[in-house]
Amino acid sequence: MNETKQPITDAMQTKCKSCGGIMQYSPADEDLKCVYCGYVSKLDHTAAEIVENDFNQWKDRAAENSEEQTMEVTEIKCRQCGANTTLAPNVSAAKCVFCSTPLILNEASVKRFWQPEYLLPFKITDKESGANFNKWLGKKWFLPSQLKNGGVNTDMFKGVFLPFWTYDAKTFTRYTGERGENREETSRNNKGEEMRRTVTDWYVASGEVTMPFDDIVIAAAKTLPPNIMDRLTNWDMMNCVKYRKEFLAGFVTEIYQIDFREGVQKAKQKMDNVIDSTIRADIGGDVQKIRSKDTQYNDLMFKLLLLPIWISAFKFNGKLYQFVVNGRTGEVIGEYPKSTAKIVMLIVAIIAIIAALVMIF
Ligand SMILES: [Zn+2]
Ligand SMILES: [Zn+2]
């Protein structure tokens, strides 16, 4: 563990062996590259053998004070959006990568945080991100025409590592509930007409289900809006490498705001949704009711992961539209302006079609 315990703040200070310049991670080369002379230093991309941490062993310990699993980080909080990011010690001016507000540097402080254990390195470049964004935007039907023709001026793409917790558990659940079986019932009304209706007969049910979970991913920061965060799900986890500061060189790293104890509650909620459908399948019948359930989360394990995204934004009619590009797949997720004229046109067209159908029949 010790060899990997390097402060994130050193990330931007790796020096070139050839000219002494600053080395940064280059997504195009997938290696460290000198920004001055182009000297490339190879990095080991071997997929890491994943070792996870026992949740129960850590939950009651003051993990943040343990030198074993934590590292010192210079963090600075944005007053505007609340983002917590890392900062190099020799930086003299910086803007928040999420909202572009200037950061107040003398508010930076050194604290201990759980050390990220694995990460996915950047693979997509900022140029590719820009091209993907233009393609993505071009396909949006409701996009105002002036944006389609004139193109969009986006902010500079900023590479950010976002923190995520992942959880594993073997769950065992005892439940009680009811199984509903539907049947058709035929009766006659007072005019003598035959009436059909569906009746459900309910039977008591109970049982046990076991369900293993692997790598339930929970966002450890809440700076990006949920409509972007919740859709950042497409990650090739099997290619995770062991955390090394060299992979972060040239990027900003967001620090978690949700610790592993808080994150586990969200992971259990996600697991519960799956457990509920397992129980329903176990009960069988046409419809089910779950009356009670008691779940044990055995072998609960966790780890901290950093995942790469490019962040940018553009303005239209005075409104800011934020979007991100997945640093592994190039997938674009974000908001875009919708033309009211085009929406009205579509509604009018739908009404016209309905009216035509009504005339025909
Ligand atoms: Zn160099
Ligand atoms: Zn901010």
Side-chain angles (χ1 to χ4, degrees):
M1 261 300 154
N2 263 338
E3 24 121 30
T4 59
K5 200 156 67 190
Q6 305 154 319
I8 295 183
T9 46
D10 279 355
M12 295 102 175
Q13 293 183 309
T14 310
K15 291 237 165 80
C16 173
K17 277 182 195 142
S18 169
C19 78
I22 297 167
M23 301 288 282
Q24 287 194 342
Y25 184 83
S26 151
D29 299 273
E30 298 192 44
D31 280 312
L32 270 187
K33 193 176 195 172
C34 174
V35 293
Y36 298 103
C37 75
Y39 173 82
V40 171
S41 161
K42 291 269 161 220
L43 285 176
D44 184 5
H45 282 260
T46 316
E49 207 175 298
I50 306 287
V51 182
E52 274 148 350
N53 310 290
D54 188 320
F55 180 84
N56 290 317
Q57 194 191 318
W58 282 101
K59 73 174 193 320
D60 298 323
R61 278 160 75 174
E64 285 72 13
N65 297 323
S66 149
E67 297 225 342
E68 194 185 337
Q69 289 287 359
T70 63
M71 61 199 285
E72 275 194 347
V73 174
T74 306
E75 65 153 357
I76 184 156
K77 200 178 178 77
C78 172
R79 284 192 165 186
Q80 183 63 35
C81 75
N84 255 2
T85 50
T86 54
L87 196 68
N90 52 356
V91 162
S92 56
K95 279 184 177 177
C96 173
V97 289
F98 294 95
C99 71
S100 298
T101 303
L103 296 171
I104 302 162
L105 295 183
N106 59 15
E107 288 182 1
S109 60
V110 177
K111 279 190 200 158
R112 295 202 76 87
F113 288 92
W114 191 272
Q115 182 189 283
E117 291 150 308
Y118 303 96
L119 59 84
L120 280 173
F122 271 91
K123 203 171 175 182
I124 300 287
T125 65
D126 51 349
K127 269 196 186 145
E128 289 167 327
S129 298
N132 285 4
F133 168 72
N134 285 328
K135 255 188 260 165
W136 172 83
L137 198 63
K139 284 184 195 152
K140 300 294 176 202
W141 202 80
F142 286 125
L143 193 74
S145 311
Q146 59 262 55
L147 285 183
K148 260 195 176 156
N149 305 331
V152 178
N153 280 334
T154 62
D155 287 355
M156 206 177 78
F157 282 75
K158 287 149 290 192
V160 184
F161 276 101
L162 299 182
F164 291 83
W165 299 107
T166 80
Y167 297 88
D168 297 352
K170 296 190 178 82
T171 65
F172 173 77
T173 308
R174 280 182 214 280
Y175 70 85
T176 63
E178 283 170 54
R179 180 179 70 251
E181 285 172 12
N182 293 343
R183 62 183 163 83
E184 292 281 306
E185 205 178 62
T186 322
S187 58
R188 289 190 186 275
N189 65 8
N190 47 18
K191 288 178 192 159
E193 293 161 340
E194 200 171 82
M195 304 284 284
R196 279 171 169 272
R197 62 187 192 114
T198 305
V199 197
T200 306
D201 298 322
W202 289 98
Y203 303 94
V204 171
S206 67
E208 299 162 359
V209 290
T210 54
M211 194 75 205
F213 291 91
D214 187 36
D215 283 350
I216 301 289
V217 178
I218 301 294
K222 34 195 169 187
T223 313
L224 284 174
N227 61 354
I228 290 181
M229 236 25 231
D230 294 346
R231 285 154 66 202
L232 270 173
T233 51
N234 200 4
W235 302 101
D236 51 331
M237 293 294 187
M238 61 289 199
N239 294 321
C240 276
V241 298
K242 218 169 178 187
Y243 168 84
R244 273 182 71 184
K245 60 167 187 168
E246 284 84 357
F247 286 109
L248 311 185
F251 303 109
V252 171
T253 303
E254 189 176 15
I255 300 167
Y256 62 84
Q257 295 161 11
I258 296 166
D259 89 341
F260 66 92
R261 302 173 189 88
E262 196 183 339
V264 80
Q265 299 309 328
K266 297 186 176 191
K268 284 182 178 176
Q269 273 168 26
K270 278 196 176 182
M271 292 179 200
D272 280 356
N273 292 337
V274 181
I275 292 170
D276 279 4
S277 41
T278 314
I279 291 175
R280 287 179 191 282
D282 199 54
I283 292 177
D286 299 305
V287 270
Q288 304 81 25
K289 284 178 190 165
I290 299 173
R291 290 283 178 219
S292 73
K293 66 171 184 202
D294 178 31
T295 301
Q296 292 167 21
Y297 304 87
N298 301 316
D299 297 340
L300 193 54
M301 308 293 277
F302 72 100
K303 63 175 183 288
L304 182 56
L305 257 186
L306 296 178
L307 299 175
I309 60 155
W310 290 101
I311 293 184
S312 186
F314 62 94
K315 262 193 181 149
F316 181 69
N317 279 349
K319 192 177 177 249
L320 192 73
Y321 295 88
Q322 202 172 31
F323 65 92
V324 305
V325 180
N326 183 314
R328 296 292 292 180
T329 61
E331 180 190 3
V332 181
I333 297 165
E335 300 162 331
Y336 61 95
K338 295 179 182 77
S339 152
T340 10
K342 283 187 180 176
I343 293 171
V344 168
M345 261 163 57
L346 181 72
I347 293 170
V348 169
I350 291 171
I351 292 171
I353 291 168
I354 292 171
L357 289 174
V358 168
M359 303 259 280
I360 291 166
F361 298 106

